[in-house]
């Protein structure tokens, strides 16, 4: 299962489950693998079988919430996640995050804000807890720039406290006639709104006055949008597997003047 071999894992789990005694862990495993195979509807009965015998089984409650989420049954997913909150500290952290995300999808802005705040209280040392709160504040309307800026400062302070900076050597001197070098960091430079936006940007006349460097945090095969973008850049680095230190050094080696983060706190961010 951990190797992503879900068909083989499902067969093994089903073989074991066919032999007595009944085990909640095996039922959870079968349902979990089925959900990973895109069979959330088939996964649900396995979790419900466990909950019929063990109503406070934290694994089954959390897994049931995940299956309901995959089926877009958001209100039911929230209820399942809430049931796990008093039962397991680690699941409580994950469940609060999923509750907030489902509330966002349901346009429950205040509910999501409260859930992100609770997540921050449950996991005060978790950088992601602050980050998700900050990301939520940047998309709500009406916006509250002061609150978002405060959370951004808090996130930065916590990050520095946990991961002290290793200063890079100073950049090479630039001459007045040097072309501006701009770096773009993103996991979304393909058939995605960010990729489409960048396509229009790089096709503009003004873009031709700048040297563009891309640090793509998506190593999978490139589509037509990505290929078109790459032809307009000076360098295109695939950095998903790179540690932060290597990425930072590459940015310095490229002589970047302006580095732009296009991911914010979305999937694939750095």
């Amino acid at each position: 299962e951990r190797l992503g071999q879900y068909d083989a894992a499902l067969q093994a789990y089903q073989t074991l489950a066919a032999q007595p005694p009944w085990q909640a862990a095996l039922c959870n495993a079968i349902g979990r693998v089925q959900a990973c195979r895109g069979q959330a509807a088939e996964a649900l009965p396995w979790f419900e079988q466990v909950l019929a015998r063990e109503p406070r089984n934290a694994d089954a409650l959390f897994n049931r919430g995940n299956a309901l989420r995959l089926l877009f049954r958001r209100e039911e997913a929230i209820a399942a996640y809430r049931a796990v909150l008093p039962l397991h500290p680690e699941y409580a952290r994950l469940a609060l995050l999923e509750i907030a995300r489902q509330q966002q999808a349901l346009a429950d802005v205040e509910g999501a804000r409260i859930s992100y705040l609770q997540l921050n209280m449950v996991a005060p040392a978790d950088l992601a807890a602050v980050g998700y709160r900050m990301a939520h504040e940047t998309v709500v309307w009406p916006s509250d720039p002061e609150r978002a800026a405060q959370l951004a400062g808090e996130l930065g302070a916590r990050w520095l406290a946990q991961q002290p900076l290793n200063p890079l050597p100073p950049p090479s001197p630039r001459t007045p006639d040097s072309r501006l070098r701009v770096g773009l960091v993103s996991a979304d430079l393909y058939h995605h709104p960010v990729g489409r936006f960048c396509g229009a940007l790089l096709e503009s006349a003004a873009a031709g006055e700048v040297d563009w460097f891309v640090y793509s945090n998506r190593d999978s095969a490139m589509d037509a949008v990505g290929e078109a973008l790459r032809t307009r850049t000076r360098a295109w680095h695939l950095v998903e597997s790179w540690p932060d230190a290597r990425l930072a050094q590459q940015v310095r080696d490229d002589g970047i003047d302006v580095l732009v983060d296009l991911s914010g706190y979305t999937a694939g961010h750095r």
Side-chain angles (χ1 to χ4, degrees), residues 4-85:
Q5 298 176 12
Y6 298 126
D7 291 344
L10 180 61
Q11 184 176 2
Y13 289 145
Q14 288 175 330
T15 299
L16 291 171
Q19 305 170 18
W22 178 89
Q23 296 182 56
L26 281 174
C27 292
N28 269 314
I30 292 171
R32 187 174 61 244
V33 170
Q34 285 185 316
C36 291
R37 296 172 77 227
Q39 299 173 314
E42 290 80 357
L44 266 177
W46 289 97
F47 305 136
E48 290 168 350
Q49 180 185 144
V50 175
L51 293 171
R53 297 190 182 203
E54 302 177 8
R56 292 173 60 83
N57 186 295
D59 289 336
L61 285 167
F62 185 75
N63 290 332
R64 182 171 180 270
N66 287 339
L68 291 166
R69 170 177 55 81
L70 293 171
L71 294 169
F72 300 100
R73 292 161 59 178
R74 302 188 191 281
E75 291 90 348
E76 294 174 82
I78 289 172
Y81 288 133
R82 288 199 188 284
V84 83
L85 292 180

Side-chain angles (χ1 to χ4, degrees), residues 110-153:
E110 285 305 316
R113 178 175 279 166
I114 292 170
S115 295
Y116 281 126
L117 179 59
Q118 290 174 325
L119 173 62
N120 203 177
M121 296 172 66
V122 167
D126 190 343
L127 293 175
V130 182
Y132 284 119
R133 279 184 68 200
M134 180 192 70
H136 178 62
E137 293 300 329
T138 63
V139 298
V140 299
W141 186 261
S143 61
D144 187 344
E146 291 186 4
R147 183 184 299 205
Q150 178 185 356
L151 289 171

